[in-house]
Amino acid sequence: MARQLLFDFDGEPSAFDLTRHGREKLHGRKRKVVVDDEGRPCQRALLTEDGATLIPPGGAAELYLDAAFDVVEKGDRQAVDAAGRALEPVPSTLGVAQRLVGPVSAQRLLDHVTPVVYQLDPASLGPRLQAGLAEGGVYESRFSYVDGWDAQALFLVQNDTGVYALVGRPTGFDWVRRATPPPAEDEADLFEDDLDFGML
Amino acid sequence: MPRFLSLYDNRRRDARVEVSGPAQPPRRSFVAAADRRPIRSARLIKVTEGHDLAALQRQWPDPEALARALVAGDPELDIEKVGQRVGTTNQVWVSADGKILYAAHALRVTDGPLGNEISREEFVDVEATVQEDVALPWTGRLLTAEEVVRRFALVQKLQLRHINGLTFDFLFEIARTLQESGKLLRVQAAKGGALIFQRNGTGYYGFLEGRVEGEGFRLVLHLSNFELKPLPRGEA
């Protein structure tokens, strides 16, 4: 049985089944397919800079190596912060009751970027949370789908069509003042890999 | 980054301003858990063309023959290349028989929500609708924050910032106007429709939110590429 989202709202338990949501699942998608002269689909591959080696799809491996070129398995790693301090592991929150707070303001949700969305199916819904969601309340908890090194914020909302969980992290946007310097030039390009043209 | 865009205010004045994305998560790296020795990620060659499964199956179509060949001579291993760092590469397209295409023919394939192909046609580039020198209109369409967060998935955000004293005043006034209205402004492309930030990029609904605090302001363009609606049956 799939693990559920479990919440503890001031002693009142609730449980939800979750399904990943997204534009492609809702409306489908448009994708670019390259074909050869006979109309057969082709695949992307990598050609090394010297032109000597062609690496087919799936032909490269991402792994961690130490100075002796020995492989360190994923489960044998420890995350550290910029100062070298060990980070505490964060276990998956699925199947484990998480404290739910709220209602919080809509601005609180607006202060997060939430690229991950789940459609929720209430398996058991506490009456106070049910009433709060129906009144338009936004509720906040924490979320980590798998074991990792950091949890994200999770917001519960309900509209006429159902209950949804929005998962993300704070935007970190500061107040802008007249003397505020411009953002750093090397900031990542938000739309660099934005080539799915799924909205069109 | 940084990027620029132009927009109108509610008095039909336009200005070019800078945008920036959300803060990146705190930087972290990994060490070996056992003894804290430093480690780093690497991308190594696993298989090269001619040694991958598809190529081997072309050479030995009979699975039994392929199995015997694998045991006898390790044809899947390119001894000279396997384990090397990938290094700098160029992306190329290869046909089903493993040959590089020198003239790619692109199609646009439309899939339905359940993954079923609906149509395919010639690929035509779709140009960006957000450009530095074409101002986004003031639509005047306002929505409450409560409606926006309950109706749309806000999957990306941009903060608008000034590039000089004049644009500081311009953006501050927009932020103050929106804060006083208590609502977010629906933003669309100059010719209407979705905001597309680069050629063939995702189209977004935009919602501009403004707040002021003393002499400071925060003007954020919230971007959504889908509404919070139930998934089609079979997907949920």
Side-chain angles (χ1 to χ4, degrees):
Chain A
M1 182 179 168
R3 291 185 296 171
Q4 293 179 313
L5 276 179
L6 305 179
F7 297 112
D8 177 345
F9 180 49
D10 281 342
E12 176 186 273
S14 291
F16 297 87
D17 296 317
L18 70 166
T19 304
R20 183 71 186 259
H21 202 304
R23 176 167 177 82
E24 291 182 2
K25 286 186 162 188
L26 198 58
H27 298 297
R29 63 170 180 158
K30 292 183 170 66
R31 55 192 168 92
K32 185 177 185 176
V33 173
V34 170
V35 296
D36 64 13
D37 293 342
E38 296 171 27
R40 296 175 302 181
C42 299
Q43 292 186 298
R44 293 174 203 258
L46 301 174
L47 184 65
T48 55
E49 199 170 31
D50 60 5
T53 307
L54 184 61
I55 304 170
E62 301 273 356
L63 33 73
Y64 278 83
L65 301 173
D66 65 13
F69 217 72
D70 288 328
V71 174
V72 176
E73 298 295 338
K74 198 173 175 184
D76 295 332
R77 301 173 307 165
Q78 167 67 51
V80 295
D81 64 16
R85 290 183 295 259
L87 299 176
E88 283 295 314
V90 175
S92 168
T93 57
L94 291 179
V96 181
Q98 302 296 309
R99 183 168 169 259
L100 188 71
V101 297
V104 300
S105 68
Q107 278 71 24
R108 171 79 184 156
L109 204 169
L110 290 175
D111 286 340
H112 289 71
V113 58
T114 52
V116 177
V117 177
Y118 293 96
Q119 178 177 304
L120 302 187
D121 181 17
S124 65
L125 185 53
R128 281 190 294 121
L129 179 58
Q130 184 174 22
L133 286 169
E135 289 168 8
V138 177
Y139 294 83
E140 181 175 355
S141 186
R142 61 198 286 278
F143 180 79
S144 179
Y145 192 89
V146 294
D147 295 345
W149 303 98
D150 49 12
Q152 295 188 294
L154 177 149
F155 295 93
L156 275 188
V157 298
Q158 179 177 323
N159 61 25
D160 293 342
T161 69
V163 182
Y164 301 90
L166 313 172
V167 176
R169 58 187 169 86
T171 61
F173 291 146
D174 287 328
W175 292 102
V176 174
R177 303 189 191 280
R178 197 173 289 277
T180 300
E185 284 283 344
D186 62 351
E187 191 176 326
D189 189 338
L190 287 173
F191 302 102
E192 186 176 21
D193 298 320
D194 182 19
L195 286 168
D196 67 3
F197 53 97
M199 182 73 174
L200 307 178
Chain B
M1 287 294 195
R3 308 169 63 111
F4 299 90
L5 61 76
S6 298
L7 77 164
Y8 282 102
D9 67 4
N10 59 341
R11 295 157 64 186
R12 287 206 46 79
R13 301 176 303 177
D14 67 307
R16 178 172 169 267
V17 300
E18 196 167 70
V19 294
S20 62
Q24 295 298 308
R27 186 169 292 181
R28 70 173 180 217
S29 56
F30 290 96
V31 296
D35 55 9
R36 303 290 297 269
R37 69 185 188 281
I39 58 175
R40 55 203 165 101
S41 65
R43 200 167 180 220
L44 305 184
I45 295 174
K46 194 166 66 175
V47 176
T48 59
E49 197 278 327
H51 299 267
D52 57 315
L53 181 60
L56 297 177
Q57 285 175 324
R58 283 195 298 274
Q59 192 169 352
W60 289 284
D62 174 29
E64 291 293 332
L66 174 56
R68 284 194 297 274
L70 290 173
V71 172
D74 296 330
E76 77 278 20
L77 292 178
D78 182 350
I79 296 297
E80 295 293 319
K81 301 285 174 59
V82 168
Q84 286 185 6
R85 290 184 188 277
V86 171
T88 306
T89 57
N90 294 303
Q91 182 182 287
V92 294
W93 290 95
V94 293
S95 62
D97 53 7
K99 294 193 171 65
I100 295 176
L101 293 190
Y102 292 96
H105 179 202
L107 301 176
R108 185 172 69 177
V109 175
T110 304
D111 295 328
L114 302 179
N116 51 313
E117 183 176 318
I118 294 172
S119 66
R120 56 175 57 204
E121 56 230 328
E122 292 298 311
F123 184 87
V124 178
D125 283 324
V126 178
E127 299 299 330
T129 61
V130 180
Q131 293 153 358
E132 285 184 33
D133 53 353
V134 180
L136 302 174
W138 183 274
T139 63
R141 293 164 58 190
L142 299 170
L143 297 92
T144 64
E146 289 73 20
E147 180 182 359
V148 170
V149 301
R150 292 170 58 217
R151 192 173 152 199
F152 298 96
L154 302 174
V155 300
Q156 190 53 279
K157 316 226 169 181
L158 297 172
Q159 184 173 29
L160 276 59
R161 305 159 68 112
H162 60 293
I163 56 175
N164 53 37
L166 283 174
T167 50
F168 177 87
D169 295 337
F170 175 79
L171 294 178
F172 187 94
E173 282 305 315
I174 292 177
R176 182 157 58 188
T177 300
L178 290 174
Q179 177 167 285
E180 287 174 356
S181 76
K183 295 182 176 176
L184 281 70
L185 176 74
R186 176 86 162 83
V187 179
Q188 60 186 29
K191 292 181 180 174
L195 302 172
I196 303 172
F197 289 84
Q198 68 177 39
R199 179 182 293 181
N200 299 327
T202 300
Y204 295 99
Y205 302 110
F207 306 94
L208 189 62
E209 180 207 9
R211 300 181 209 174
V212 294
E213 182 192 72
E215 297 297 311
F217 74 88
R218 202 184 288 168
L219 201 53
V220 176
L221 181 58
H222 303 271
L223 300 172
S224 172
N225 64 354
F226 66 98
E227 289 186 66
L228 298 175
K229 290 178 175 175
L231 294 169
R233 285 189 181 278
E235 185 57 60

